[in-house]
Amino acid sequence: MFVATTHDYLLIFTSRGRAFRLKVHEVPEVGRTARGSALVNLLALDANEKLRTVIPITSLDRPGYLVMATRNGTVKRIQLSAINTARKAGIRCITLDEGDDLICVRETDGEQKILIATHDGFAVCFDESDVRPMGRDAMGVRGIRLREGDYVVGAARAKPGQEVLSITERGYGKRTSVEEYRITNRGGIGIKNYMVTDKTGPVVGIKVVDGSEDLLLMTQSGI
C-alpha cells in the first residue's frame, strides 16, 4: 500500500527483468467498485510477463540504489539513476538466465542489510555493500546458494528492530526478529527461516514489518 501525488512516478518491474516508468496520472481514476484498466493497456508487456514490484518515487535523478533478487538466487544492485528513462517499451534492468525470473526489487540507500528467503524455508542475510553496483545489462552475482529443488520467494531490507513475517502455502505465518538472522557473506546456503512441514506447506512470501501494519492475505482463487 502506498500514497502518491500527481507529481509522482511508479517504477514497475516485471518477471522478465524489465523496468517501466509510469506517471501516476496516467493510471485512470475510477469508482470504488470499478474493475480498473488492464496494465497491458498502459505497459508494453510480453506474453506471460508478470508484474513483480511497484515502487512509488518522486524523482529518479537522485542518489540511491535498487537491489534485485531472482528465483534462482541471483542478486544485483544498480544505481537508481541508471533507469531514468521514459521509453514506453521499458528498459532491461537485469539479464536473466534461461528459466530464471526476477522475483522482487527493493529501493535502498547503499547501507542496508538484505535478506533473501526461499520456498523450502531457508534465508541468508548480508550487507548490501557485498554487491557492487552494476550496469543495466549485467546478470548480477550469487546471493544465496540454493539446495536442490529450492527457489527464492522474496527479499527485503532487514532493518534493526523489525521482524521477518513469513507466510506458507497452507496459510500459516510467523514473525521472527531481524536480529536472529546473523549477517553472513552473500552466496552462502543460509540458515533455517521456517520449519516447513506437511501441515504448514512451503514458504510463499516474506515481508519485513514493524508490527504496526495490517495484514491482507489473498488465495489463488481470489478469496
Side-chain angles (χ1 to χ4, degrees):
M1 178 67 69
F2 57 83
V3 178
T5 73
T6 55
H7 299 291
D8 288 335
Y9 297 94
L10 300 178
L11 287 182
I12 301 174
F13 298 89
T14 74
S15 57
R16 295 194 174 180
R18 291 200 295 165
F20 295 84
R21 189 183 71 176
L22 185 67
K23 293 180 179 179
V24 171
H25 74 259
E26 294 175 347
V27 180
E29 183 176 351
V30 297
R32 178 179 60 84
T33 58
R35 294 181 61 184
S37 299
L39 278 177
V40 69
N41 298 324
L42 303 175
L43 307 174
L45 300 178
D46 294 334
N48 300 320
E49 190 171 12
K50 299 178 180 179
L51 302 188
R52 291 303 192 203
T53 301
V54 178
I55 299 176
I57 196 166
T58 300
S59 171
L60 289 167
D61 189 21
R62 61 178 177 80
Y65 298 91
L66 297 168
V67 174
M68 309 170 193
T70 77
R71 177 185 173 93
N72 290 349
T74 295
V75 65
K76 177 179 177 179
R77 184 159 66 118
I78 186 173
Q79 290 186 334
L80 188 60
S81 58
I83 59 171
N84 192 359
T85 179
R87 289 180 56 191
K88 290 294 184 181
I91 58 173
R92 183 171 300 282
C93 56
I94 183 172
T95 298
L96 297 170
D97 284 329
E98 185 174 355
D100 200 3
D101 284 338
L102 181 64
I103 294 298
C104 67
V105 182
R106 295 291 178 262
E107 184 183 1
T108 71
D109 58 8
E111 300 179 354
Q112 299 293 315
K113 311 293 184 186
I114 304 299
L115 184 140
I116 299 177
T118 76
H119 185 249
D120 288 345
F122 293 91
V124 65
C125 190
F126 56 87
D127 288 318
E128 175 185 346
S129 58
D130 284 353
V131 183
R132 63 176 178 81
M134 306 174 193
R136 289 195 297 106
D137 293 331
M139 297 183 66
V141 294
R142 188 190 300 276
I144 184 170
R145 188 179 300 276
L146 297 172
R147 295 162 173 82
E148 185 176 358
D150 201 3
Y151 58 88
V152 171
V153 295
R157 296 161 295 191
K159 297 181 179 180
Q162 298 193 341
E163 298 167 314
V164 179
L165 170 67
S166 302
I167 303 296
T168 72
E169 281 186 357
R170 296 188 179 275
Y172 285 79
K174 72 167 186 173
R175 288 183 296 160
T176 307
S177 171
V178 162
E179 281 70 27
E180 292 194 31
Y181 297 82
R182 68 178 186 273
I183 305 301
T184 62
N185 294 326
R186 65 161 181 84
I189 60 174
I191 61 175
K192 179 67 75 172
N193 171 49
Y194 203 106
M195 187 61 68
V196 172
T197 65
D198 290 340
K199 179 180 178 180
T200 65
V203 178
V204 294
I206 60 112
K207 293 285 185 182
V208 171
V209 299
D210 61 19
S212 66
E213 303 90 348
D214 292 325
L215 179 62
L216 175 65
L217 301 179
M218 183 178 294
T219 69
Q220 285 186 335
S221 59
I223 298 173

